[in-house]
Amino acid sequence: MPVPSQFFFSETQPVQCIEIKVPVVIEAVDIEQVVDSTITLPELALKVDHITASVRDLQGTPVFVDQLASGDIVLVPTVSPEREVYVKKVIVSGTIHKQIFYVNKNNEVKHFAEDLQFTKLQELSRMIKVKNRDDVFIQFHNIDVDINWELPRASRLHQTSVVQVTAKVSEDRQIFVQVCPSPKVCPAGTRLRDGGLEGWADPYHPIFWGASNVQQTTFAHSGTYAAEIGILNPTLPGSLFQMTSSGIVSGRQYRLSFWVAEDVNPLGAATAVSAFNLTAEVVFFDSMGVQIGIGSERLDSTGIPDGAYTMVQFVTPVTDQNVQSAMVRFSFIPAAGNTNTVKIDDVVLECTPLATSQF
């Protein structure tokens, strides 16, 4: 049996990995052992009705050889760091447990039990290199036993037992694996990076968000900064958005929460015109970037408080089975003559457990 295929994969998102120990099959061999036996029955028999058999106490022992990097076989164990350990053979031993049912001279069916030991030394098709001999063990599959018999004399029973088994040479190896959230469990925490909008490359470009007609503001709900949309030109559209694939799973709903405030024209309330709407969206995509779902909430400027933050949240529809990523987007759409802007802070996108009925 070949060694499992291995490959390198570059993960585009930060992942959590843990070290685990798993059994790896490094070789498999089919073993057949023929065992002949002749026994004397407790009494004279007219015939043998049937024999049932099973294999018990099956054990496997790997046989190792040490080899230096030069290819020389080491007959005497050494402590050389260049020594390599190989599995060359396996020793299989066990017990054939038989239940013999025969008919005596009184036409009565009687029972007789027999245990027969066997041992088989099997050489592998090639020597297999292992990392640690203490972690190597033998697993057995496809265990079968067949019995043929003859009764040459009334009390003498000759049997031929054929034991067939697949022995798999396995080694416990320590590997690192990526920890993935169960598809039946909502990933904990927000799915967005820098939802508090604290990281900025310059006053116009948040590090983890895409932005258009956006500027940094110190009027924040929490922390030091927030994002103000429409500040560069309140008569033009603006947007703030972020793509994420972390923790976006199928068959779930997601809740988008954010804090929003309206900023009145700094020239004064008398000349201010509040004529815009803000649309918050969570758009879902498949692996090819095709939109396969959306949840949204539209806010008119009249429903957003002036100079104070209020929290808004909504829950998306259940995600499609092919979902791979999501985009959170805030769209600022002004009407003619608008002078005001909108501030966004503390954005959170989190998975919400589905409601289940209790019976």
Side-chain angles (χ1 to χ4, degrees):
M1 177 175 291
V3 176
S5 60
Q6 304 177 42
F7 61 93
F8 294 97
F9 176 70
S10 297
E11 179 61 60
T12 59
Q13 296 289 336
V15 297
Q16 179 185 3
C17 296
I18 61 172
E19 186 180 23
I20 64 172
K21 179 177 283 190
V22 295
V24 177
V25 177
I26 56 179
E27 183 68 12
V29 59
D30 293 326
I31 297 175
E32 180 177 285
Q33 176 70 353
V34 179
V35 182
D36 284 317
S37 66
T38 301
I39 63 171
T40 301
L41 297 175
E43 56 184 317
L44 298 179
L46 298 177
K47 66 175 183 178
V48 174
D49 185 70
H50 66 278
I51 300 176
T52 61
S54 62
V55 178
R56 298 181 177 180
D57 303 325
L58 199 58
Q59 295 181 343
T61 304
V63 178
F64 300 98
V65 295
D66 294 350
Q67 180 174 311
L68 298 179
S70 62
D72 297 331
I73 299 296
V74 179
L75 300 180
V76 179
T78 67
V79 293
S80 171
E82 299 179 351
R83 187 178 64 184
E84 297 177 342
V85 180
Y86 292 81
V87 180
K88 186 177 182 181
K89 304 176 182 179
V90 293
I91 301 174
V92 178
S93 61
T95 301
I96 304 174
H97 178 73
K98 293 182 285 186
Q99 303 283 350
I100 304 169
F101 296 87
Y102 64 92
V103 180
N104 65 10
K105 61 181 180 179
N106 298 321
N107 283 324
E108 298 172 331
V109 177
K110 294 297 185 72
H111 163 262
F112 179 72
E114 179 192 16
D115 287 330
L116 190 62
Q117 309 293 327
F118 71 92
T119 300
K120 174 74 172 184
L121 176 63
Q122 180 71 44
E123 187 163 354
L124 304 182
S125 60
R126 59 188 177 92
M127 294 195 303
I128 306 298
K129 183 180 178 180
V130 297
K131 295 183 178 180
N132 188 339
R133 67 173 67 203
D134 294 333
D135 290 332
V136 178
F137 59 96
I138 309 297
Q139 295 177 309
F140 297 103
H141 300 271
N142 306 324
I143 303 171
D144 189 27
V145 58
D146 183 55
I147 305 291
N148 294 313
W149 69 86
E150 60 178 350
L151 195 65
R153 297 180 184 177
S155 62
R156 300 279 288 180
L157 176 63
H158 178 260
Q159 305 164 81
T160 301
S161 306
V162 181
V163 178
Q164 294 177 320
V165 62
T166 299
K168 292 186 177 181
V169 183
S170 303
E171 181 180 13
D172 283 334
R173 292 182 178 175
Q174 291 180 321
I175 62 173
F176 284 93
V177 297
Q178 177 179 333
V179 181
C180 301
S182 169
K184 297 183 179 180
V185 178
C186 272
T190 182
R191 302 294 93 207
L192 299 175
R193 304 176 70 184
D194 190 26
L197 291 152
E198 297 298 318
W200 292 76
D202 57 51
Y204 307 101
H205 299 94
I207 295 175
F208 298 104
W209 294 79
S212 171
N213 198 7
V214 170
Q215 183 174 321
Q216 178 189 88
T217 177
T218 56
F219 183 74
H221 171 257
S222 67
T224 304
Y225 302 113
E228 186 169 1
I229 311 177
I231 185 63
L232 302 181
N233 190 335
T235 63
L236 295 179
S239 63
L240 181 70
F241 56 91
Q242 183 180 138
M243 290 288 300
T244 179
S245 59
S246 172
I248 304 300
V249 295
S250 62
R252 320 308 302 176
Q253 289 180 292
Y254 287 81
R255 179 190 297 113
L256 180 66
S257 305
F258 60 96
W259 291 81
V260 59
E262 183 176 359
D263 189 25
V264 179
N265 181 4
L267 297 179
T271 59
V273 177
S274 179
F276 68 88
N277 63 69
L278 177 71
T279 301
E281 299 172 303
V282 182
V283 187
F284 297 101
F285 301 91
D286 64 12
S287 60
M288 301 300 294
V290 177
Q291 180 178 326
I292 55 175
I294 187 173
S296 63
E297 183 80 8
R298 184 178 182 274
L299 303 174
D300 290 327
S301 58
T302 55
I304 302 175
D306 299 339
Y309 278 96
T310 185
M311 189 180 77
V312 178
Q313 64 178 14
F314 65 90
V315 177
T316 69
V318 176
T319 52
D320 186 87
Q321 63 177 357
N322 296 318
V323 69
Q324 291 291 324
S325 60
M327 177 177 64
V328 172
R329 178 172 59 198
F330 297 95
S331 299
F332 173 81
I333 308 297
N338 175 67
T339 62
N340 293 357
T341 61
V342 66
K343 295 180 171 68
I344 302 293
D345 200 6
D346 294 335
V347 186
V348 175
L349 178 67
E350 55 189 345
C351 182
T352 61
L354 294 175
T356 57
S357 301
Q358 300 293 331
F359 295 95

